[in-house]
Amino acid sequence: MSRPKLQDVAARAGVSVTTVSRVLNDRGYLSADIRRRVAEAVAELGYRPNEIARSLIGQKSRLVGLIVPTVADPFFGELASRIEGELASKGYKMLLCDCLENAEREAEYLEMLQANRVDGIITSTHNRNVEGYDRADAPIVAVDRRLGSDIPIIRSDNRTGGRLATGHLIARGSRSAVFITATDHPGNDRAAAYRETMRDHGLDPRVLAYGYSTPMRQRRALIETWLMDNDADGVFASDDLTALMVLEWARKTGRRVPDTLRIVGYDGSRAALLAMPGLTTVRQPIDALGARAAQALIRRIETPDDDRESRLAAEAPLPVELHQGWTS
Amino acid sequence: MSRPKLQDVAARAGVSVTTVSRVLNDRGYLSADIRRRVAEAVAELGYRPNEIARSLIGQKSRLVGLIVPTVADPFFGELASRIEGELASKGYKMLLCDCLENAEREAEYLEMLQANRVDGIITSTHNRNVEGYDRADAPIVAVDRRLGSDIPIIRSDNRTGGRLATGHLIARGSRSAVFITATDHPGNDRAAAYRETMRDHGLDPRVLAYGYSTPMRQRRALIETWLMDNDADGVFASDDLTALMVLEWARKTGRRVPDTLRIVGYDGSRAALLAMPGLTTVRQPIDALGARAAQALIRRIETPDDDRESRLAAEAPLPVELHQGWTS
DNA sequence: CTGAAAGCGCTTACAG
DNA sequence: CTGAAAGCGCTTACAG
C-alpha cells in the first residue's frame, strides 16, 4: 500500500475521519477508548498527516523563506544556521534561497516563495533595486538592509563597530589606515564611522570599494594592487575573509604584521575565529542577529497587529565588540 | 481584496476556472482571444497560482530536504549552496535542516520532511544509528555517508585523498605525522589510506580522534594537549578548520612551519582557501559533489526505475587534488 | 475549443 | 461524545 491517509486510519480504527482528525489535533472530548484505537491504527499503518493538505486548509504553511547571498560565506552560513535553528524551535521550516549577488535571481526567489505561500520572508542581501519587495504580501524582515519604511531591520551596531575598529588601529599607531569594503554607499555606517574617526584624529580617510559582483580573483587582484601602489600602515576590512586575504598578502610580500601593517576584520564568525583566532576583528553577535530576525518575523506573522512595537524593538542595533588578536 | 484565486481570475476574464487553469498550464487548444483575456486578468489581479494546492493534486511537491550538520561550517555551507543552486535550476526548492551533530534532531527532521511530502532527501551528516532512514519512503541520496545498501553515496576519493596528503607529508621530510580526525571508524577511508601510506614507508601511524560531539573549545584543548605531549613533525587534519587551528597553535608556541612542523588540511572550501591560500590541503570537488548529489536525487525522483544504473554512477568517487601551500 | 463536476487529503462548523 | 458534509485552491478526466 502506498502512503496511508486519514481514511485508512479511520477504517482501521472503525471510526469516522472526523474523529481521527480530532484525536490527531486533540480537539474536543474524545473517549479514552477511541483515543487508544486511533493511536493504534496510526502506529500500525505508520500514518503521517499530510502537511500539504493541512497548509491548504489552515491558510498558513509554517514555512519561511530565507534569502541570502550565499551560505558558502561563513558569516551568512552561520546566520542561516542560527535563523533555521530558531525557526525550527518554533515549529517553522525554512526554504533556503542562495541568490549569489544576483538581483534577478533574488526577484525570482521572491516570486517563488510567495507562490509557495510562505508565511514570511527573511532577507539579507546587498542587491539594490530588487523588483517585488514593495508588492510582496508576506511579512518581511531584513537583516542589515534597508528595503522600505515598513520593513523592520535587524542589525548590529555598525557605527560603533566602525569606530571601534578605526579607533583601535589608530591607538596601535596607525596613521594611514584604509577601509576596504564592497560598496561605499551613503547607508554604509561602517564607512561613515571610519571616516569620522579618522578625521577626529586629523587623519585622511581612504576607502577602497571593490564592488559586490566582482569575482573573487579580481577582487583579490584589485586589493593587492591598491596596497602595492598606496602606502597604508593599517587595514580595516569590512569582512574577515578580506582581512585574511590582506594578511596572506602581507606574509607573501614580507610586510611585518602588526609592526608595519595592522589588520582588523569584521564579522567574527565562529569559523573565521576558529581558523584564525589571531585576527583582530569586530564581532557581530551573529547568534543574536539570527534569533532576533526569526523572532521578529514570527511576531509579525502571528500577531500582525502589534507591528509598530516589534518594529521599534527590531530597529535597536545589537552591540558589537572588538576581538583583539595579534594582527594589530 | 486578499490573495486572488483561480475563481477571481476566471470571473474577471469571463471564462471558467478550467479554462484559466489550462491557459496557465498551457494544456490543450485555446483560442488566442481567450489566452489574451486570461493573461490580462492574471496581470491585473497580480494572480499567482497557489503551489500548495498544486502539490496536493500532483502528489509531488518539487521540494527537497537537505540535512547537514550545519551550514556554519564552510564545507557544508558551500556544499549546501551548490546543491541548492542545482536544485533551483531544475525547478526544485530546498528545505534546510541543520541538525548540529544531534542524532535526535536528525530523526525529527526526517519525520518532518516526510510529513511535508518532500520529493526526496539529501543527507550529509555523521550521526550514527539515526532512526528512520530505513523506513523512509522518499528517495534518499547520501553525501559521503553509508546509510544502507539501497541508498546511493556521492563522495570524492577519500582513499586517494588520504594517500596524497600522507605521501606529501613524507615527501616533505615528515617521519612522525599524525592524522587528526573526528572519529576513527572502519569506514574512514582517509584514516585507512593514512595508515597504509605510513606503513608503506616503514613509519608508525598515529591517529588522534576527538569525537564529533566534542564542543569546539574542548576539541581545541584536546588537540593542543596531544601535540604538546607527543612529538609530531607533521599533521594531516581531516578538515581545514582543524588544520588552521594547528597552524595557529604552531605560531603561538613558536613551531616553525613548515620546517619543523608540516601541516596538511582537507576539504579546500573556497572560504578556507580565500582566507588562507597558503594552507596545503586536499581539495574536494565540492561543486561536483553538490551537483551530482542533486542530479542523482532528481533522477531517483523522476525516473524511479533506472535506479541501478544511477546508483552505480553515484558510487564512482569524484577525483580530489592536492593544493600545495606554504604550510608543508 | 470550453465548462461542470469530481477529487487531492485534510479540518471545521453544524447536527445529532 | 461522534459523524456527514462542505470546503481549502487547484487539476483533470469526461462531456458537449
Side-chain angles (χ1 to χ4, degrees):
Chain A
M1 179 163 91
S2 72
R3 238 162 209 151
K5 38 192 196 178
L6 207 56
Q7 228 175 77
D8 303 315
V9 179
R12 180 145 199 144
V15 296
S16 72
V17 295
T18 311
T19 300
V20 178
S21 170
R22 267 200 292 257
V23 172
L24 259 30
N25 296 291
D26 198 21
R27 259 185 177 16
Y29 296 89
L30 292 314
S31 71
D33 178 52
I34 286 226
R35 280 181 196 274
R36 195 183 40 73
R37 269 157 58 203
V38 170
E40 275 175 25
V42 166
E44 283 165 17
L45 294 172
Y47 172 75
R48 237 178 254 142
N50 184 332
E51 293 293 340
I52 291 181
R54 287 180 159 179
S55 300
L56 187 56
I57 290 170
Q59 304 296 68
K60 53 187 169 26
S61 54
R62 293 197 85 81
L63 234 192
V64 163
L66 174 67
I67 304 181
V68 288
T70 173
V71 290
D73 179 304
F75 172 75
F76 289 106
E78 191 169 327
L79 183 69
S81 170
R82 191 67 195 84
I83 289 175
E84 197 272 334
E86 183 67 23
L87 289 172
S89 78
K90 301 288 197 304
Y92 286 84
K93 300 142 277 179
M94 191 185 89
L95 240 24
L96 177 67
C97 305
D98 251 50
C99 67
L100 305 171
E101 314 285 16
N102 179 334
E104 218 171 300
R105 254 180 95 99
E106 184 170 354
E108 281 166 23
Y109 273 127
L110 202 53
E111 272 301 307
M112 180 279 278
L113 290 174
Q114 296 184 82
N116 283 279
R117 298 301 187 262
V118 294
D119 290 341
I121 296 170
I122 297 176
T123 182
S124 180
T125 65
H126 303 286
N127 297 319
R128 310 247 125 214
N129 308 319
V130 174
E131 286 270 323
Y133 279 109
D134 44 336
R135 58 186 147 75
D137 35 19
I140 299 180
V141 161
V143 177
D144 208 19
R145 176 183 187 193
R146 173 160 295 284
L147 272 179
S149 54
D150 51 342
I151 293 178
I153 307 177
I154 312 294
R155 60 180 151 195
S156 61
D157 194 342
N158 290 312
R159 191 161 284 275
T160 299
R163 271 203 213 99
L164 278 176
T166 314
H168 173 80
L169 281 170
I170 296 170
R172 305 296 285 179
S174 167
R175 305 283 102 187
S176 60
V178 58
F179 178 55
I180 306 182
T181 185
T183 58
D184 185 22
H185 60 276
N188 189 335
D189 286 345
R190 298 179 201 167
Y194 158 78
R195 287 202 168 87
E196 208 178 277
T197 310
M198 289 293 277
R199 292 210 181 96
D200 282 354
H201 288 80
L203 302 173
D204 256 2
R206 289 178 298 173
V207 174
L208 170 56
Y210 50 78
Y212 274 118
S213 38
T214 312
M216 211 43 83
R217 283 164 195 287
Q218 284 177 47
R219 188 178 298 192
R220 178 194 296 273
L222 212 134
I223 292 173
E224 293 189 355
T225 305
W226 192 97
L227 289 170
M228 287 305 210
D229 296 351
N230 299 268
D231 228 31
D233 62 5
V235 168
F236 170 23
S238 199
D239 68 293
D240 290 334
L241 255 30
T242 302
L244 291 171
M245 212 156 93
V246 172
L247 181 63
E248 175 62 18
W249 169 83
R251 199 202 57 77
K252 238 171 28 195
T253 59
R255 260 73 173 174
R256 293 205 320 279
V257 175
D259 305 331
T260 61
L261 182 67
R262 297 131 193 108
I263 302 177
V264 176
Y266 210 101
D267 288 346
S269 69
R270 272 181 185 67
L273 285 184
L274 182 70
M276 176 52 189
L279 178 67
T280 298
T281 188
V282 177
R283 294 196 67 172
Q284 293 204 66
I286 307 183
D287 276 6
L289 280 172
R292 186 184 272 193
Q295 287 156 5
L297 185 68
I298 291 175
R299 209 175 311 125
R300 290 202 103 187
I301 291 170
E302 298 182 354
T303 51
D305 299 328
D306 67 7
D307 244 0
R308 205 174 49 98
E309 202 183 330
S310 85
R311 213 174 311 145
L312 288 178
E315 297 275 0
L318 290 160
V320 297
E321 64 183 38
L322 190 76
H323 165 87
Q324 161 91 58
W326 57 262
T327 61
S328 66
Chain B
M1 178 163 90
S2 71
R3 237 161 208 152
K5 39 193 199 178
L6 207 57
Q7 228 174 79
D8 304 314
V9 179
R12 180 146 199 144
V15 296
S16 72
V17 295
T18 310
T19 300
V20 178
S21 171
R22 267 202 290 259
V23 172
L24 259 30
N25 296 291
D26 200 21
R27 260 186 175 19
Y29 295 89
L30 293 313
S31 70
D33 178 52
I34 286 226
R35 281 181 196 274
R36 195 182 39 72
R37 269 157 58 202
V38 170
E40 274 175 23
V42 165
E44 283 165 16
L45 294 171
Y47 171 75
R48 237 177 256 140
N50 183 333
E51 293 292 340
I52 291 183
R54 286 181 159 177
S55 300
L56 188 56
I57 291 169
Q59 304 296 66
K60 54 187 168 28
S61 54
R62 293 197 84 82
L63 235 190
V64 163
L66 174 67
I67 303 179
V68 288
T70 174
V71 291
D73 179 302
F75 173 74
F76 289 106
E78 190 170 329
L79 184 68
S81 169
R82 192 65 196 84
I83 289 175
E84 196 273 334
E86 184 67 23
L87 289 172
S89 78
K90 299 290 198 303
Y92 286 84
K93 298 143 278 178
M94 191 185 90
L95 238 26
L96 178 67
C97 304
D98 251 48
C99 66
L100 305 171
E101 316 284 15
N102 180 333
E104 217 173 300
R105 254 181 95 100
E106 183 170 354
E108 281 166 23
Y109 273 128
L110 201 52
E111 272 302 306
M112 179 278 279
L113 290 174
Q114 295 183 83
N116 283 279
R117 298 302 188 262
V118 294
D119 290 342
I121 296 171
I122 297 176
T123 182
S124 180
T125 65
H126 304 286
N127 298 320
R128 309 247 126 215
N129 309 318
V130 174
E131 285 272 323
Y133 278 109
D134 43 336
R135 56 185 149 74
D137 34 20
I140 298 179
V141 162
V143 178
D144 208 18
R145 177 182 186 193
R146 173 160 294 283
L147 273 179
S149 55
D150 50 342
I151 293 178
I153 307 177
I154 311 293
R155 61 180 150 194
S156 60
D157 193 341
N158 290 313
R159 192 161 282 276
T160 299
R163 273 204 212 96
L164 277 175
T166 314
H168 172 80
L169 281 169
I170 297 170
R172 304 296 284 180
S174 166
R175 305 283 102 186
S176 59
V178 57
F179 178 55
I180 306 181
T181 184
T183 59
D184 185 23
H185 60 277
N188 189 333
D189 286 345
R190 297 179 202 168
Y194 158 78
R195 287 201 168 88
E196 206 178 277
T197 311
M198 289 293 276
R199 295 212 179 95
D200 282 354
H201 288 79
L203 302 172
D204 254 2
R206 289 179 299 174
V207 174
L208 169 56
Y210 51 77
Y212 274 119
S213 38
T214 313
M216 210 44 81
R217 282 163 197 286
Q218 285 177 46
R219 188 179 299 192
R220 178 194 296 272
L222 212 134
I223 293 173
E224 294 188 355
T225 305
W226 193 96
L227 289 171
M228 288 303 210
D229 295 350
N230 298 269
D231 228 31
D233 61 5
V235 168
F236 169 24
S238 200
D239 67 293
D240 290 335
L241 255 31
T242 301
L244 291 170
M245 212 156 94
V246 172
L247 181 62
E248 175 62 17
W249 169 83
R251 198 201 56 77
K252 238 169 32 194
T253 59
R255 260 71 173 175
R256 293 206 319 280
V257 175
D259 305 332
T260 61
L261 182 68
R262 298 133 193 104
I263 301 176
V264 176
Y266 210 101
D267 287 346
S269 68
R270 273 180 184 68
L273 285 184
L274 183 70
M276 176 51 189
L279 178 68
T280 298
T281 188
V282 177
R283 296 196 66 172
Q284 293 203 67
I286 306 183
D287 276 7
L289 279 172
R292 186 184 271 193
Q295 287 156 5
L297 185 67
I298 292 175
R299 210 175 309 124
R300 290 201 103 186
I301 291 170
E302 298 182 354
T303 52
D305 300 327
D306 66 8
D307 244 359
R308 205 174 50 96
E309 201 184 330
S310 85
R311 212 174 311 145
L312 287 179
E315 297 277 359
L318 290 160
V320 296
E321 62 183 40
L322 190 77
H323 166 87
Q324 161 91 58
W326 58 263
T327 61
S328 66

